[in-house]
Amino acid sequence: MAENSTVDPKDVQDNKVMAILAYLGILVLVPIFAAKESPFARFHANQGILLFIVSIVFYIIYYILLFTVPVIALIFSILSIGILILAIIGIINAAKGEMKELPIIGKYSILK
């Protein structure tokens, strides 16, 4: 779904909480199953699941590096702030009723 997609204001109002939940880790499953028919909630659920997958991969790599190359693991721990920033951007966009893609990862789609 493109960044400039228009969405029904009623859909936004009814599903804002679902869209915000999409950025809170495993809670991304709530809007996926509870708001199946909402384009607004599904857009944010897609963004949230992308962020969740990226964070899982990131932390798996981090823990591998932590035990093998601790210096690089330190750099990764600093970079982990980026995941938090992406989640905050997503929550702000959802709260404002906007359908903006997350920087870097937002252009990909998992949910149809």
Side-chain angles (χ1 to χ4, degrees), residues 81-95:
I81 295 169
I83 292 173
L84 176 63
I85 290 170
L86 288 176
I88 291 169
I89 290 170
I91 289 168
I92 290 170
N93 288 339

Side-chain angles (χ1 to χ4, degrees), residues 8 18 22 24 26 29 31 35 52-54 70-72 78 83 86 89:
D8 179 21
M18 290 293 166
L24 301 176
I26 194 72
L29 297 174
F52 186 62
I53 290 168
V54 166
V71 174
I72 295 176
I78 294 168
I83 292 173
L86 288 176
I89 290 170

Side-chain angles (χ1 to χ4, degrees), residues 21-22 25-34 49:
L21 287 176
I26 194 72
L27 292 179
V28 69
L29 297 174
V30 174
I32 289 173
F33 294 113
I49 197 131

Side-chain angles (χ1 to χ4, degrees), residues 27 34 37-39 63 65 67 85 88 90 98-99 106:
L27 292 179
E37 305 303 317
S38 167
Y63 283 111
L65 290 174
F67 295 108
I85 290 170
I88 291 169
E98 297 175 349
M99 292 175 62

Side-chain angles (χ1 to χ4, degrees), residues 6-96:
T6 57
V7 66
D8 179 21
K10 181 167 175 19
D11 181 26
V12 171
Q13 195 60 33
D14 291 347
N15 292 292
K16 245 184 214 186
V17 172
M18 290 293 166
I20 291 169
L21 287 176
Y23 297 99
L24 301 176
I26 194 72
L27 292 179
V28 69
L29 297 174
V30 174
I32 289 173
F33 294 113
K36 292 179 194 176
E37 305 303 317
S38 167
F40 180 71
R42 291 209 48 94
F43 173 83
H44 287 288
N46 183 71
Q47 298 290 292
I49 197 131
L50 285 169
L51 184 60
F52 186 62
I53 290 168
V54 166
S55 66
I56 288 172
V57 170
F58 182 87
Y59 285 110
I60 288 171
I61 293 169
Y62 169 75
Y63 283 111
I64 291 170
L65 290 174
L66 183 63
F67 295 108
T68 57
V69 189
V71 174
I72 295 176
L74 177 63
I75 294 168
F76 259 68
S77 62
I78 294 168
L79 292 175
S80 70
I81 295 169
I83 292 173
L84 176 63
I85 290 170
L86 288 176
I88 291 169
I89 290 170
I91 289 168
I92 290 170
N93 288 339
K96 289 168 60 177

